[in-house]
């Protein structure tokens, strides 16, 4: 009975690994430069270059920044404004032909918060880093590509669990980290495969599970829109279309009053995926390393700048907010990025050695 159980787990490990290995190799290779995307942008000269100005230089208000963005891309609609901690003088702007245009067809650039000057961000609109991101996120296939990668992530998690089950009896026969140099090449690679797999076990599970959550982001956001957001904007269901927005100079102050102790992470303009046809959605973040990734949307009526609601944040949106930075090692600065990259390379070795072992075993059987 015991040998039959091991054979079943061995079959599960073999086939789940084979199904997902090529996709995971692609994800591991494309994920490696994405871990260091900020550093690569600076190295390639793609990062916006801000003018040197006094530290106390006054900043434009939100309404002035909106006008500067619209002057840079006339005829296009504002979709999002975002702030980044490593660009204190910049505001990221995203615009497109219509507010509801899908993200891959939008245009991203940076505004100097002191002057309103528009600074292009080549890597956000094309080039090497964008190719790596699209391959890693959806393989240029949109939602079907994301769901396929989510399925491959689940296969990866099942392959890890089955590998643990198979490695347990192996550990009882040999001390941990044993590599038998006197054995055949196949046995040495099997020992290395098991050793590196054990070393990367926890990381691989974290990256695999967060990858599945990230791949389902579109479905989670749609669920949030149909649940929490829909309940908040129900009184506007029969309202006439928004024809003119109120001046937004005080928008951030209103959001900070509604969510005390928090600061704005990004603004979704009316008509976008993360707002409604009649509202600004100001997504507020906490001050700690953890709460800075847990965003609370504040809905403000775009016609008169009156607070509509502070939208409930369901558990699955919290999971998504925590998964995105954890997946790419964005929590601990450069040391964590280096650790993530090293574990990524080791995972590539595990995947490659697994393919080699399967191929050699197949030839031996033949």
């Amino acid at each position: 009975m015991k040998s039959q159980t091991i054979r079943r787990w061995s079959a599960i490990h073999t086939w789940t690994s084979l199904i997902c290995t090529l996709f995971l190799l692609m994800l591991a290779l494309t994920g490696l430069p994405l871990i260091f995307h900020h550093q690569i942008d600076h190295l390639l000269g793609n990062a916006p270059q801000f003018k040197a100005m006094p530290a106390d230089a006054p900043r434009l208000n939100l309404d002035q920044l909106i006008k500067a963005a619209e002057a840079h891309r006339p005829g296009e609609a504002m979709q999002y404004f975002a702030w980044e901690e490593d660009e204190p003088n910049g505001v990221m702007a995203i615009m497109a032909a219509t507010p509801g245009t899908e993200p891959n067809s939008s245009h991203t650039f940076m505004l100097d918060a002191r002057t309103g000057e528009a600074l292009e961000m080549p890597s956000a609109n094309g080039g090497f880093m964008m190719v790596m991101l699209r391959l890693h996120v959806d393989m240029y296939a949109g939602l079907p590509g994301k769901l396929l990668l989510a399925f491959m992530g689940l296969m990866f998690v099942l392959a890890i669990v089955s590998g643990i089950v198979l490695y347990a009896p192996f550990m009882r026969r040999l001390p941990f980290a044993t590599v038998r140099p006197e054995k055949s090449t196949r046995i040495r690679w099997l020992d290395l495969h098991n050793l590196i797999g054990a070393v990367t076990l926890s990381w691989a599970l974290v990256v695999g599970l967060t990858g599945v959550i990230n791949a389902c982001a579109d479905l989670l956001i749609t669920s949030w829109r149909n649940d929490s957001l829909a309940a908040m904007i129900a009184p506007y269901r029969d309202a006439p279309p928004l024809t003119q927005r109120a001046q937004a100079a005080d928008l951030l102050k209103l959001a900070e009053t509604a969510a005390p102790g928090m600061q704005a992470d990004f603004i979704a303009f009316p008509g976008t995926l993360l707002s409604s046809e009649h509202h600004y959605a100001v997504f507020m973040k906490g001050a700690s390393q953890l709460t800075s990734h847990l965003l609370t949307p504040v809905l403000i009526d775009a016609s008169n700048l009156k607070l509509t609601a502070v939208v409930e944040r369901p558990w699955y949106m919290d999971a998504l907010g925590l998964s995105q930075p954890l997946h790419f090692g964005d929590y601990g600065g450069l040391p964590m990025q280096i650790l993530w990259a090293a574990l990524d390379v080791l995972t590539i070795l595990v995947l490659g050695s697994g393919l080699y072992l399967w191929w050699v075993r197949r030839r031996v059987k033949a």
Side-chain angles (χ1 to χ4, degrees):
M1 182 67 180
K2 187 176 179 180
S3 61
Q4 290 179 348
T5 302
I6 291 176
R7 279 198 296 271
R8 290 195 194 100
W9 279 109
S10 179
I12 291 171
H13 184 70
T14 298
W15 289 107
T16 54
S17 300
L18 286 175
I19 289 169
C20 69
T21 290
L22 292 179
F23 289 93
L24 289 173
L25 279 172
M26 181 273 293
L27 293 172
L29 291 170
T30 56
L32 200 54
L34 291 174
I35 295 172
F36 299 103
H37 65 280
H38 288 297
Q39 292 85 346
I40 293 174
D41 280 344
H42 283 279
L43 184 64
L44 297 178
N46 290 332
Q49 301 297 318
F50 295 92
K51 291 180 179 178
M53 296 179 68
D56 59 351
R59 294 172 177 268
L60 302 179
N61 64 40
L62 186 59
D63 209 47
Q64 291 170 321
L65 289 171
I66 293 172
K67 291 177 181 177
E70 291 174 340
H72 179 63
R73 304 280 298 184
E76 292 192 351
M78 288 299 314
Q79 290 187 301
Y80 303 98
F81 265 179
W83 289 263
E84 293 189 12
E85 292 182 2
D86 56 351
E87 297 289 0
N89 295 318
V91 177
M92 186 183 298
I94 302 177
M95 300 183 69
T98 65
T101 298
E102 60 97 18
N104 292 324
S105 299
S106 301
H107 185 82
T108 303
F109 58 97
M110 190 75 73
L111 288 171
D112 190 319
R114 305 158 301 176
T115 66
E117 179 186 2
L119 306 169
E120 289 298 332
M121 301 174 64
S123 62
N125 301 293
F128 172 74
M129 292 305 297
M130 183 54 65
V131 171
M132 293 295 102
L133 181 62
R134 289 297 306 276
L135 287 173
H136 195 85
V137 170
D138 64 3
M139 302 183 297
Y140 287 90
L143 181 59
K146 292 178 182 180
L147 295 181
L148 175 61
L149 291 178
F151 175 72
M152 294 303 162
L154 291 175
M155 291 294 100
F156 181 47
V157 171
L158 187 53
I160 293 172
V161 172
S162 58
I164 295 171
V165 174
L166 293 173
Y167 192 52
F170 182 84
M171 281 284 291
R172 287 196 290 267
R173 296 198 306 268
L174 293 170
F176 177 72
T178 297
V179 178
R180 294 164 285 181
E182 74 282 359
K183 297 291 185 178
S184 66
T185 303
R186 177 181 175 276
I187 296 298
R188 290 199 300 271
W189 271 109
L190 176 62
D191 291 343
L192 285 171
H193 179 81
N194 292 335
L195 170 60
I196 299 172
V199 169
T200 60
L201 171 65
S202 298
W203 178 84
L205 275 173
V206 167
V207 171
L209 290 172
T210 55
V212 171
I213 295 172
N214 291 339
C216 296
D218 289 356
L219 299 180
L220 297 178
I221 291 171
T222 299
S223 178
W224 171 77
R225 280 182 60 87
N226 295 335
D227 185 11
S228 302
L229 184 61
M232 297 297 103
I233 63 174
Y236 291 81
R237 187 173 300 156
D238 299 323
L242 181 68
T243 56
Q244 188 174 1
R245 298 195 306 251
Q247 290 192 346
D250 296 327
L251 183 65
L252 295 182
K253 291 181 182 178
L254 293 169
E256 289 167 0
T257 301
M262 307 181 80
Q263 65 184 63
D265 185 69
F266 72 93
I267 300 172
F269 283 73
T272 57
L273 178 66
L274 297 174
S275 65
S276 81
E277 296 292 337
H278 298 86
H279 292 88
Y280 292 105
V282 185
F283 284 75
M284 308 296 288
K285 63 180 181 180
S288 70
Q289 184 75 330
L290 176 63
T291 59
S292 64
H293 300 287
L294 301 176
L295 303 181
T296 298
V298 177
L299 285 183
I300 297 175
D301 191 316
S303 64
N304 54 26
L305 291 194
K306 290 185 177 179
L307 176 67
T308 296
V310 178
V311 184
E312 179 184 355
R313 192 180 62 217
W315 66 269
Y316 53 83
M317 291 300 287
D318 283 349
L320 179 62
L322 294 173
S323 293
Q324 289 175 336
L326 185 59
H327 188 72
F328 291 106
D330 284 345
Y331 276 111
L334 186 59
M336 190 168 181
Q337 288 176 304
I338 294 173
L339 174 63
W340 247 234
L343 291 168
D344 188 292
V345 171
L346 290 175
T347 300
I348 293 172
L349 290 176
V350 171
L351 296 171
S353 60
L355 277 178
Y356 166 77
L357 291 169
W358 172 78
W359 178 251
V360 170
R361 184 179 178 184
R362 184 169 175 270
R363 289 184 60 190
V364 169
K365 284 185 176 180

